[in-house]
Amino acid sequence: MSRSPCSRPRFFFPLVLLAGAVMAGCVAPVGGSLLESSSTSAPAPMPAGKVLAPPPSLDAASSRAQVDAAGVTGSGAIWAIRGQALAISTDHGASWTSGTIPMPPPETIAPTTFVLDATHAWSLTTPAGDGDHGQGPQFDHARLIVNRTSDGGRSWRPAMVPGDYPDTSRSFSFVDPEHGFLMVSGGRTNEGSSTLLATSDGGARWRVVRAVPSSETATAAGVGASLGSQITASDRETIWAAAQGEAGPVNHPILDVSRDGGLTWTRAALPGIVDRWGGTNNVPGGPPAFLDSNVGFFVLTTDDGNGNPETVVFGTRDGGITWARLTTLPASLAAPLDFVGPQDWIAVEEANGLPWTLRETTDGGQSWHALSASGLIGDGLQSLRVGGDG
């Protein structure tokens, strides 16, 4: 995985506010995939001070429009989803293309989407009548349908996934338009097993790589644990699975990795962290984020051993073979967070309902200073994406 650099100054543009939000930089190189895309070139930097408004196709009447999901692809395209509307910009919001994205009905399965670049995206739905209704696999059914587009959401093609996966959490990760993975992570009523599926034709056909039993990925004290559903693939063989937050008693390893395409999994050792109840006591901020094939970061909300919550940043310089505890974030900077360079990180400071403040560190978290930005308002900035370092 690589992150394209861009020259300073960085530019920050509010994309969406309220329930979901993204800050996009001059080249916004991280998103659902955390990967470069060779099919779409990154957009050129925009002039300083430009404010990026929500796409008109999502809400023509309000600049404070709530969206369901948003992000920035590896090639620099900005995307946002509201309901079944999909909007994508490849020029930092100067223009948008509009499409749709298939979404499951409420209270069936959780929405699961992945946008790779300006044209390729995927979404999970189920057949009519299927869903997770809390009664358990003997009553519920979640036969998954992968919907794929190669024209930015103007047309979609469905494909059935082999198997039936009620009471699971799910996520996609695509390395390129053809090769991708789908993790189906077990919940409390399906015995905790996890299934990894793969495609090599863009999602037209899926094969089960392996169903991984919870006994194989047990956490501390031998407690069975299903693989986490928050995955990212750094290449066609290396897949990271981070725990999703869940109410107990659902156990997940905090962070596992496969280096053989999902056939075998090993624990990523995090210094000072006991691998316990990964879905509740220790909640990852997502899968690892890599600046290149070697340098990466992993953010974990845990406690200090005395019951006090804290957010810890771990780092690697050898592609995740070893991880070091880099710093503990100040309480006000618990989230969101993004990484511009090895020492240069951007965070959002909580402001008790006041307009959000951006904070930057250029020394790996030892000190922080305010960073100016245009157009930010309060009410729940949840995600941050910034451009590369200079």
Side-chain angles (χ1 to χ4, degrees), residues 122 146 148 173-174 176-182 197-207 209:
W122 295 264
V146 173
R148 66 194 188 281
S173 185
F174 275 76
D176 55 47
E178 299 298 321
H179 298 87
F181 298 95
L182 169 61
L197 300 103
T199 181
S200 57
D201 58 9
R205 291 168 296 182
W206 291 84
R207 61 180 177 87
V209 175

Side-chain angles (χ1 to χ4, degrees), residues 125-175:
T125 56
T126 59
D130 279 18
D132 296 331
H133 305 298
Q135 301 179 63
Q138 65 270 36
F139 302 104
D140 294 345
H141 296 280
R143 292 164 292 192
L144 305 177
I145 300 171
V146 173
N147 305 277
R148 66 194 188 281
T149 181
S150 57
D151 57 14
R154 288 185 290 276
S155 64
W156 291 85
R157 291 169 291 174
M160 285 296 299
V161 173
D164 189 357
Y165 306 100
D167 187 26
T168 54
S169 299
R170 314 151 190 105
S171 71
F172 288 119
S173 185
F174 275 76
V175 177

Side-chain angles (χ1 to χ4, degrees), residues 59-388:
D59 191 312
S62 173
S63 63
R64 295 168 59 95
Q66 177 174 322
V67 303
D68 301 314
V72 184
T73 72
S75 59
I78 303 165
W79 59 271
I81 297 169
R82 186 171 188 237
Q84 290 190 300
L86 170 67
I88 300 176
S89 174
T90 58
D91 54 13
H92 298 294
S95 61
W96 295 84
T97 59
S98 297
T100 61
I101 190 163
M103 284 289 178
E107 299 180 359
T108 56
I109 64 172
T112 301
T113 61
F114 188 94
V115 181
L116 177 69
D117 54 36
T119 57
H120 296 90
W122 295 264
S123 175
L124 275 184
T125 56
T126 59
D130 279 18
D132 296 331
H133 305 298
Q135 301 179 63
Q138 65 270 36
F139 302 104
D140 294 345
H141 296 280
R143 292 164 292 192
L144 305 177
I145 300 171
V146 173
N147 305 277
R148 66 194 188 281
T149 181
S150 57
D151 57 14
R154 288 185 290 276
S155 64
W156 291 85
R157 291 169 291 174
M160 285 296 299
V161 173
D164 189 357
Y165 306 100
D167 187 26
T168 54
S169 299
R170 314 151 190 105
S171 71
F172 288 119
S173 185
F174 275 76
V175 177
D176 55 47
E178 299 298 321
H179 298 87
F181 298 95
L182 169 61
M183 174 64 80
V184 183
S185 175
R188 69 183 69 190
T189 64
N190 66 359
E191 300 181 355
S193 63
S194 298
T195 302
L196 183 76
L197 300 103
T199 181
S200 57
D201 58 9
R205 291 168 296 182
W206 291 84
R207 61 180 177 87
V208 174
V209 175
R210 187 160 176 250
V212 183
S214 60
S215 59
E216 186 173 311
T217 52
T219 60
V223 178
S226 58
L227 289 169
S229 70
Q230 299 190 90
I231 67 167
T232 192
S234 51
D235 55 48
R236 296 183 188 180
E237 298 295 324
T238 307
I239 311 153
W240 300 87
Q244 67 270 20
E246 288 191 47
V250 180
N251 203 15
H252 305 288
I254 297 172
L255 182 63
D256 270 29
V257 61
S258 173
R259 299 186 184 275
D260 56 10
L263 293 176
T264 60
W265 295 83
T266 58
R267 195 62 33 86
L270 303 171
I273 298 296
V274 177
D275 197 32
R276 67 191 187 284
W277 292 107
T280 53
N281 290 351
N282 299 300
V283 181
F290 284 86
L291 300 179
D292 55 37
S293 60
N294 292 312
V295 178
F297 301 92
F298 180 65
V299 180
L300 179 71
T301 299
T302 181
D303 64 64
D304 62 1
N306 297 311
N308 301 311
E310 62 180 9
T311 299
V312 181
V313 180
F314 296 89
T316 179
R317 292 184 177 274
D318 55 15
I321 297 174
T322 59
W323 292 87
R325 185 171 179 142
L326 301 182
T327 189
T328 299
L329 295 179
S332 62
L333 300 180
L337 176 70
D338 197 26
F339 302 94
V340 186
Q343 300 290 315
D344 194 351
W345 314 339
I346 308 293
V348 176
E349 184 175 32
E350 296 180 358
N352 298 320
L354 298 176
W356 294 92
T357 301
L358 291 178
R359 295 282 177 177
E360 180 181 31
T361 178
T362 56
D363 53 18
Q366 297 183 47
S367 62
W368 295 83
H369 59 268
L371 193 66
S372 62
S374 301
L376 281 177
I377 61 173
D379 298 332
L381 187 64
Q382 292 186 349
S383 181
L384 185 68
R385 297 291 185 265
V386 298

